[in-house]
Amino acid sequence: MSASTTATVRHDWNLAEVKALFVQPFNDLLFQAQSVHRAHFDPNRVQVSTLLSIKTGACPEDCKYCPQSGHYNTGLEKEKLMEVQKVLEEAARAKAIGSTRFCMGAAWKHPSAKDMPYVLQMVAGVKAMGLETCMTLGRLDEDQTKALAQAGLDYYNHNLDTSPEFYGSIITTRTYSERLQTLAHVRDAGMKICSGGILGMGESLDDRAGLLIQLANLPEHPESVPINMLVKVAGTPLENAEDVDPFDFIRMLAVARILMPQSHVRLSAGREAMNEQMQALAFLAGANSIFYGDKLLTTANPQADKDMQLFARLGIAPEAREEHADEVHQAAIEQALVEQKSSDLFYDAASA
């Protein structure tokens, strides 16, 4: 299968085709993925997002990977929904360090009627700053989805997590069809979709392929596809799960890029455990989006200055916003990269 044919957007992938991509020699797979990537994106630009937990802990879902689930004792304290002004202050900080999208996550099965007005204020306030807006709030009904769209929400994150066949081994409190229905509501309301999954939960190669097939065979591909590596948290059922082989993780990114050539493939949770060489391979495989900052909801994330240093060493720059590129802000980001490259901190890191 040539790179030129896989650059075509398809919605009819089958298991045999996708498994054939996975088992290619590693170099052939990366070459194919990089060729597809270059057909649709600048290979040296990466979209940068910041993620904030606006309501932490005591989630009624039983997702076996999640420290926020109320079913497990992980030592995570329950917190109420953040005040709107505090969320807006965090969004301003995110913009100042170079993020173009601000993502807000709440540990809910679904948002309640009493919380929705505050959530809508957050969306409108972040949007007014010139940032793209993204939220993950659990299951949505049609009216909630329309309200979020009217408030200015650009993206809704709702991961499928794994294949339909393996899903019941990880989550029992929400069905796969409910997740797909929420994605349909989001698309019908005119918003963009952020949806991906997690590696390292004990899934098979068929399950990894099955997850990507579900995403790639949607009527429209998700605009953003986060690929997470399990962060093992003490107290969750998956705290002793087997580590993901780094090359297998890179293969997942590469196949996602081939199946969804116009989507942003996000290097997401688990990046704290990846060295710079693995992250560089991830970008070569077609990953072109990251979360930026010190925390990813409740787990660690590489610090922003380390990301800037790595970007400088690789010759990568943050991607400007698609709809309204702020040239002054973009220039400031690129100047920061230059300054990082010439700083003592940068050279210390490079020689380490």
Side-chain angles (χ1 to χ4, degrees):
M1 189 180 296
S2 68
S4 61
T5 58
T6 54
T8 303
V9 175
R10 291 177 50 189
H11 304 271
D12 60 350
W13 292 94
N14 63 52
L15 184 60
E17 288 178 298
V18 176
K19 286 182 69 176
L21 291 172
F22 269 103
V23 300
Q24 287 188 89
F26 187 74
N27 287 343
D28 291 349
L29 176 59
L30 259 62
F31 178 79
Q32 184 174 345
Q34 178 64 195
S35 300
V36 171
H37 187 52
R38 287 173 178 267
H40 296 276
F41 291 98
D42 181 336
N44 297 310
R45 293 277 177 174
V46 171
Q47 189 276 324
V48 176
S49 298
T50 295
L51 178 60
L52 174 70
S53 178
I54 60 173
K55 188 270 174 186
T56 303
C59 180
E61 304 280 20
D62 66 353
C63 310
K64 290 184 178 179
Y65 54 80
C66 187
Q68 300 208 64
S69 172
H71 294 257
Y72 317 124
N73 182 16
T74 63
L76 190 69
E77 293 187 9
K78 177 183 177 180
E79 297 176 5
K80 295 180 180 179
L81 182 67
M82 285 182 70
E83 295 176 6
V84 174
Q85 185 57 39
K86 289 183 178 179
V87 172
L88 299 184
E89 289 169 2
E90 291 295 328
R93 291 190 189 97
K95 183 173 181 179
I97 64 169
S99 288
T100 57
R101 185 181 307 158
F102 192 68
C103 305
M104 295 159 273
W108 287 327
K109 185 179 181 69
H110 53 78
S112 68
K114 70 179 179 64
D115 288 320
M116 276 299 290
Y118 302 106
V119 167
L120 297 176
Q121 288 178 40
M122 293 174 191
V123 173
V126 173
K127 185 79 169 180
M129 294 181 187
L131 287 164
E132 289 179 321
T133 54
C134 177
M135 279 195 158
T136 178
L137 310 171
R139 189 183 74 237
L140 296 178
D141 62 32
E142 190 173 358
D143 289 341
Q144 290 171 328
T145 314
K146 289 179 179 177
L148 287 166
Q150 290 169 1
L153 190 64
D154 296 302
Y155 285 81
Y156 193 74
N157 168 253
H158 201 59
N159 289 335
L160 295 181
D161 289 343
T162 188
S163 70
E165 294 78 13
F166 189 62
Y167 181 85
S169 301
I170 302 299
I171 303 158
T172 67
T173 51
R174 183 190 301 168
T175 67
Y176 211 82
S177 61
E178 285 177 321
R179 289 183 182 258
L180 291 171
Q181 184 60 66
T182 292
L183 294 182
H185 286 324
V186 170
R187 189 61 85 192
D188 289 345
M191 290 184 289
K192 297 176 181 177
I193 288 174
C194 174
S195 187
I198 306 171
L199 270 68
M201 300 188 294
E203 73 284 346
S204 66
L205 177 60
D206 281 11
D207 293 317
R208 293 175 183 177
L211 166 65
L212 294 181
I213 289 169
Q214 287 290 318
L215 295 168
N217 288 353
L218 289 170
E220 294 180 65
H221 292 168
E223 284 79 4
S224 181
V225 181
I227 303 297
N228 300 274
M229 186 164 66
L230 178 68
V231 177
K232 291 179 280 190
V233 178
T236 63
L238 295 178
E239 64 176 302
N240 296 314
E242 187 177 345
D243 289 344
V244 177
D245 180 273
F247 292 116
D248 288 344
F249 186 83
I250 300 300
R251 284 180 182 275
M252 185 75 171
L253 294 171
V255 176
R257 166 53 62 223
I258 293 167
L259 267 59
M260 292 168 279
Q262 296 178 345
S263 302
H264 279 80
V265 176
R266 176 174 293 152
L267 186 58
S268 199
R271 199 158 62 90
E272 172 74 8
M274 301 176 195
N275 62 24
E276 292 181 332
Q277 292 77 13
M278 185 176 173
Q279 291 185 62
L281 272 179
F283 297 134
L284 184 64
N288 62 338
S289 178
I290 63 165
F291 278 122
Y292 184 59
D294 298 336
K295 249 189 180 181
L296 207 167
L297 288 181
T298 59
T299 56
N301 198 45
Q303 293 183 354
D305 61 344
K306 291 183 179 180
D307 289 331
M308 282 295 187
Q309 292 163 31
L310 180 59
F311 274 24
R313 294 170 73 184
L314 298 177
I316 288 174
E319 181 180 278
R321 280 193 54 179
E322 294 176 15
E323 293 87 354
H324 306 288
D326 182 341
E327 294 179 2
V328 174
H329 184 51
Q330 185 68 13
I333 295 171
E334 294 182 0
Q335 179 60 33
L337 278 169
V338 172
E339 291 171 0
Q340 286 281 1
K341 189 170 182 178
S342 61
S343 70
D344 291 339
L345 185 61
F346 171 80
Y347 284 111
D348 287 343
S351 61

